[in-house]
Amino acid sequence: PRSSRHHGASQARGRARARGAMASRGAEETEALKKHLEEQLHRLLTQLSDLDEFREDLDDDEYEETKEETMEQMKEFEAALKEHMEGNMSLVDELGSVQLAIQAAIKKQARTPEVLKLFAKKQPEALRIRLGNLKRDNRLGKLDDDSFTSEAVEIILALKKLGEELTAEERHFLASASDVASKFESADKELGEGILSAAASGVRKAAT
């Protein structure tokens, strides 16, 4: 009887270790997948950013062809991302910001690739540094008021979506640029609902 109890306890410990190892391996695989997808997104958004930066060096046909190729790659990336996330709510939590960023770029909304990259990587400190640089450039006359307002609103809303507490100055700026902010928020709401409904659909399929 004693050896039987000992054997049973040993088996239970073995099963617990196996479950722990599987959970650890699953977490490692999720982290590796997340890193790989973030790197892919960074590469695509850098391509888009470089394309705009060197626009004057390209003729119209070359620019349009390269941009079309980049957008096609983004659509392929989004399809792969959706497949990874379908039915996996933990991945939705981890990669929701990545999917929001890629969908915003695909829909050709007025988004800044550098801001999308920082948002996807969940880097609020870097976003605030960029906001500070924008303020400086606007003050020095290197950046016009419309461009400053648009990107500043984009950054502050990105901070808000990342769960950051906004400063009094940031809240005041959003309120003063409510027209611009409402356009961004409306687009984000549409994208976010699309992500959640797709994930929920995947969960329902997995349950049947």
Side-chain angles (χ1 to χ4, degrees):
R2 182 182 297 176
S3 63
S4 177
R5 284 198 301 272
H6 178 74
H7 180 66
S10 177
Q11 281 188 324
R13 284 195 297 272
R15 285 194 297 270
R17 280 197 298 271
R19 283 196 299 271
M22 286 174 65
S24 176
R25 189 162 60 248
E28 287 173 5
E29 288 173 356
T30 297
E31 187 58 35
L33 174 62
K34 180 172 174 256
K35 184 178 179 184
H36 173 66
L37 292 170
E38 284 177 345
E39 287 172 352
Q40 277 189 281
L41 175 64
H42 184 274
R43 178 181 61 80
L44 289 169
L45 289 174
T46 298
Q47 281 180 217
L48 204 58
S49 180
D50 288 348
L51 195 58
D52 287 337
E53 185 177 348
F54 300 109
R55 173 70 180 90
E56 294 180 2
D57 298 335
L58 304 171
D59 61 44
D60 290 345
D61 289 344
E62 190 176 10
Y63 172 79
E64 289 301 330
E65 183 181 344
T66 307
K67 188 163 189 176
E68 190 61 38
E69 285 176 2
T70 302
M71 297 310 292
E72 194 58 41
Q73 289 174 36
M74 283 188 170
K75 289 174 184 175
E76 290 171 4
F77 172 69
E78 186 200 15
L81 180 61
K82 186 177 178 182
E83 191 175 319
H84 284 302
M85 292 172 68
E86 194 170 80
N88 190 331
M89 291 307 291
S90 64
L91 271 183
V92 171
D93 291 338
E94 288 287 333
L95 299 172
S97 59
V98 173
Q99 192 172 20
L100 273 173
I102 200 73
Q103 285 189 357
I106 288 172
K107 289 179 180 292
K108 300 181 183 178
Q109 295 167 344
R111 299 302 171 102
T112 310
E114 289 302 319
V115 174
L116 289 175
K117 278 191 273 189
L118 296 175
F119 171 69
K121 288 188 170 184
K122 300 181 181 178
Q123 295 183 339
E125 300 88 355
L127 284 167
R128 282 198 162 104
I129 290 171
R130 186 174 180 87
L131 181 59
N133 291 339
L134 287 178
K135 290 176 183 175
R136 180 201 61 209
D137 289 349
N138 179 245
R139 194 167 55 247
L140 294 174
K142 295 180 179 179
L143 184 67
D144 65 79
D145 289 344
D146 287 346
S147 297
F148 166 69
T149 299
S150 180
E151 188 171 342
V153 165
E154 185 181 358
I155 288 173
I156 295 170
L157 288 177
L159 289 167
K160 188 176 175 183
K161 287 199 292 290
L162 289 175
E164 289 292 299
E165 186 173 345
L166 300 183
T167 65
E169 182 185 0
E170 289 164 350
R171 290 195 301 272
H172 176 73
F173 188 87
L174 272 188
S176 68
S178 57
D179 287 351
V180 178
S182 65
K183 289 176 184 175
F184 276 113
E185 287 179 321
S186 176
D188 286 343
K189 185 170 183 288
E190 182 183 331
L191 289 176
E193 286 174 351
I195 288 173
L196 290 175
S197 64
S201 171
V203 169
R204 286 195 297 273
K205 285 178 187 173
T208 57

